[in-house]
Amino acid sequence: MAAEGEAAALEFTPTWIVAAVCSIIVLLSLVAERCLHYLGKKLKKKNQKPLYEALLKVKEELMLLGFISLLLTVFQGMIQRTCIPAGWTDHMLPCQRLDVKAGEAGATKEHFAAGGILGRIGRRLLSEGGAGADHCKKGKVPLLSLEAIHQLHIFIFVLAITHVIFSVTTMLLGGAQIHQWKLWENGIQKDAPGNGPKKVTDVRHHEFIKKRFKGIGKDSRILSWLHSFGKQFYRSVSRSDYTTMRLGFIMTHCPGNPKFDFHRYMVRVLEADFKKVVGISWYLWVFVVIFLLLNVNGWHTYFWIAFLPLFLLLAIGTKLEHVIAQLAHDVAEKHTAIEGDVVVKPSDNHFWFGKPRIILYLIHFILFQNAFEIAFFFWILSTYGFNSCIMGQVRFIVPRLVIGVVIQLLCSYSTLPLYAIVTQMGSCYKKEIFNEHVQQGVLGWAQKVKMRKGLKGAASKAEPTSNADSAGPSVKIEMAKAGEDVEAVGNTE
């Protein structure tokens, strides 16, 4: 029988306890797996392939978490048996270590009892009789304690789950905002003009130009950027914005289909991008490691990095609003009067480095970093308590939480809807412009064309005159046109 207070090995644990714990764990795992499976079937039944792929991405992240947890479990013995000089643990501490001296024993005990992080790990690592230090020679301590490894397990799991929840919440709230634009789309489809005469209008009197090409932006770039900065906080996208950008997209990419459902296209693109946002890429894990490294006592790292996603989010919102202003500026500069509606010209040149896709990666980073902040707070709160030294002072905690809420709301209700519509003003369209069946057909046809080109190239090397050459110029023209179409579809980001 194990002594009182001593941990019992599995061989001395009652079988009913082992069976009960295993049953609960297996039951919870099966329930979670069945829920995900049912959700996947429902998404496939409704032909929501992008959301189904996002669900698969979530499953991949859960599998990665399981593998990380497995590695930590397998190597925890080796990690604990790795001994390092005690002096190495005196630097870059999350909490200030108190020297254990005879005259300071009472103060140290009181500090530990207050719930500080040293109260959990300091007594074990600094005491000579700690269980983790039995195998280490005098003057050395284990690299990482069992409790620290266990808490690392929990933190990684909480971080990943929080990121998924935040991403899903952002997409749901942002999607609800974009769904309201469906009324605008229906109104445009219903009131589509016929072939009658078009009214000539002074370009400066058009609603889109009046709202976006204001006097404060004509002569001063600084004032124009300031106006774009403020616009993201109230009615970031108006009906005139939607109508004008929709028409510009249709006239550029599908002029033969004036009744193209631009709203449905945006929703499909957003659903496809969700698969990217919900995942945790390798560079985000690098970010986690870096800021775990910089969590040094007195640096208040987690307070300062809370401003990083806020500044990035404000910069993205300002840039997207300024892209709309630039579209209005281009029309106002080139025309004094227009016949019919304003037609803007989409271009990649309006975006950073000519790549609208960059904004998606920045939104991905913002959501992850915000989830990291909130997950770290709740992990510390549940593990060490609100008054622990690693939590920090209240004057640093409250602003972090407020910033996290602001980021979540601003990204959901302003930045994400702006991203959904403004990034369609690039030079290329995305494959989601086709429905699911057409996408499969076009991609299959594109593969066949590429294979034929490869076969033709091989045949031309083997024979001076190929069958394609003997078929006349019409075949060459058709294949060239097919190649251009494939290129257009392949380059649609």
Side-chain angles (χ1 to χ4, degrees), residues 353-412:
F353 306 105
K355 295 183 180 296
R357 194 75 173 173
I358 291 178
I359 296 176
L360 177 64
Y361 292 102
L362 291 177
I363 292 177
H364 186 199
F365 173 78
I366 288 168
L367 291 177
F368 179 82
Q369 205 279 332
N370 196 43
F372 174 81
E373 278 281 325
I374 302 300
F376 188 82
F377 169 79
F378 283 107
W379 173 65
I380 296 298
L381 181 65
S382 61
T383 304
Y384 303 110
F386 188 82
N387 295 322
S388 63
C389 59
I390 197 173
M391 176 67 79
Q393 302 175 13
V394 176
R395 59 192 177 98
F396 292 111
I397 298 172
V398 174
R400 285 168 53 188
L401 297 178
V402 172
I403 290 174
V405 174
V406 170
I407 289 173
Q408 190 69 21
L409 295 177
L410 184 62
C411 187
S412 300

Side-chain angles (χ1 to χ4, degrees), residues 82-205:
T82 303
C83 300
I84 59 174
W88 290 11
T89 64
D90 294 333
H91 309 285
M92 300 186 71
L93 294 173
C95 292
Q96 186 177 4
R97 178 177 292 169
L98 299 180
D99 295 331
V100 183
K101 297 180 181 179
E104 300 175 347
T108 303
K109 185 180 295 185
E110 182 179 352
H111 174 73
F112 288 157
I117 188 174
L118 293 181
R120 300 232 178 210
I121 62 176
R123 284 175 292 184
R124 179 176 53 258
L125 293 182
L126 295 179
S127 59
E128 296 181 358
D134 288 344
H135 59 278
C136 292
K137 298 179 180 179
K138 188 176 181 180
K140 291 191 175 183
V141 294
L143 180 64
L144 204 60
S145 69
L146 285 177
E147 183 178 350
I149 296 175
H150 173 66
Q151 296 301 337
L152 195 57
H153 275 270
I154 298 175
F155 171 69
I156 293 174
F157 179 78
V158 170
L159 172 61
I161 296 300
T162 305
H163 172 61
V164 171
I165 292 175
F166 272 43
S167 299
V168 171
T169 303
T170 302
M171 287 295 176
L172 289 177
L173 296 177
Q177 185 79 355
I178 295 171
H179 182 72
Q180 297 178 4
W181 300 350
K182 183 63 177 176
L183 298 175
W184 299 345
E185 180 70 31
N186 293 338
I188 296 171
Q189 298 279 1
K190 184 178 179 180
D191 302 332
N195 297 323
K198 297 181 179 180
K199 182 179 179 181
V200 178
T201 310
D202 186 342
V203 70
R204 303 297 175 93
H205 294 164

Side-chain angles (χ1 to χ4, degrees), residues 2 11 24 118 143 196 209 290 299 351 385:
E11 56 189 335
I24 294 174
L118 293 181
L143 180 64
I209 303 298
I290 290 175
W299 290 11
F351 297 90

Side-chain angles (χ1 to χ4, degrees), residues 114-383:
I117 188 174
L118 293 181
R120 300 232 178 210
I121 62 176
R123 284 175 292 184
R124 179 176 53 258
L125 293 182
L126 295 179
S127 59
E128 296 181 358
D134 288 344
H135 59 278
C136 292
K137 298 179 180 179
K138 188 176 181 180
K140 291 191 175 183
V141 294
L143 180 64
L144 204 60
S145 69
L146 285 177
E147 183 178 350
I149 296 175
H150 173 66
Q151 296 301 337
L152 195 57
H153 275 270
I154 298 175
F155 171 69
I156 293 174
F157 179 78
V158 170
L159 172 61
I161 296 300
T162 305
H163 172 61
V164 171
I165 292 175
F166 272 43
S167 299
V168 171
T169 303
T170 302
M171 287 295 176
L172 289 177
L173 296 177
Q177 185 79 355
I178 295 171
H179 182 72
Q180 297 178 4
W181 300 350
K182 183 63 177 176
L183 298 175
W184 299 345
E185 180 70 31
N186 293 338
I188 296 171
Q189 298 279 1
K190 184 178 179 180
D191 302 332
N195 297 323
K198 297 181 179 180
K199 182 179 179 181
V200 178
T201 310
D202 186 342
V203 70
R204 303 297 175 93
H205 294 164
H206 194 279
E207 184 180 2
F208 174 72
I209 303 298
K210 284 195 299 183
K211 288 184 176 180
R212 290 294 179 174
F213 186 61
K214 294 182 179 293
I216 60 173
K218 291 186 295 183
D219 304 318
S220 173
R221 290 186 178 182
I222 296 178
L223 290 177
S224 178
W225 279 101
L226 288 176
H227 178 261
S228 298
F229 173 80
K231 189 69 174 66
Q232 64 182 308
F233 299 108
Y234 64 98
R235 295 195 64 191
S236 56
V237 178
S238 64
R239 176 163 184 164
S240 62
D241 297 334
Y242 179 87
T243 303
T244 304
M245 287 188 281
R246 172 189 180 275
L247 182 60
F249 179 89
I250 291 176
M251 296 302 293
T252 302
H253 300 300
C254 46
N257 185 15
K259 287 186 175 292
F260 174 74
D261 194 338
F262 180 66
H263 182 270
R264 180 58 190 150
Y265 165 70
M266 276 197 312
V267 172
R268 285 202 296 262
V269 172
L270 192 62
E271 290 174 350
D273 289 341
F274 179 60
K275 180 178 66 173
K276 173 66 179 176
V277 172
V278 79
I280 304 180
S281 304
W282 63 269
Y283 52 84
L284 296 180
W285 286 114
V286 172
F287 167 84
V288 171
V289 173
I290 290 175
F291 282 100
L292 286 176
L293 174 67
L294 298 178
N295 183 31
V296 179
N297 178 60
W299 290 11
H300 306 295
T301 305
Y302 293 105
F303 171 75
W304 298 113
I305 65 170
F307 290 95
L308 176 60
L310 180 62
F311 289 153
L312 284 177
L313 192 65
L314 294 176
I316 291 173
T318 303
K319 177 61 178 177
L320 292 175
E321 290 285 358
H322 195 255
V323 168
I324 304 178
Q326 283 181 299
L327 294 172
H329 184 273
D330 292 344
V331 175
E333 276 197 334
K334 294 178 181 178
H335 304 279
T336 56
I338 55 173
E339 185 179 11
D341 294 321
V342 170
V343 179
V344 296
K345 182 66 176 177
S347 174
D348 286 346
N349 295 329
H350 295 309
F351 297 90
W352 287 316
F353 306 105
K355 295 183 180 296
R357 194 75 173 173
I358 291 178
I359 296 176
L360 177 64
Y361 292 102
L362 291 177
I363 292 177
H364 186 199
F365 173 78
I366 288 168
L367 291 177
F368 179 82
Q369 205 279 332
N370 196 43
F372 174 81
E373 278 281 325
I374 302 300
F376 188 82
F377 169 79
F378 283 107
W379 173 65
I380 296 298
L381 181 65
S382 61
T383 304

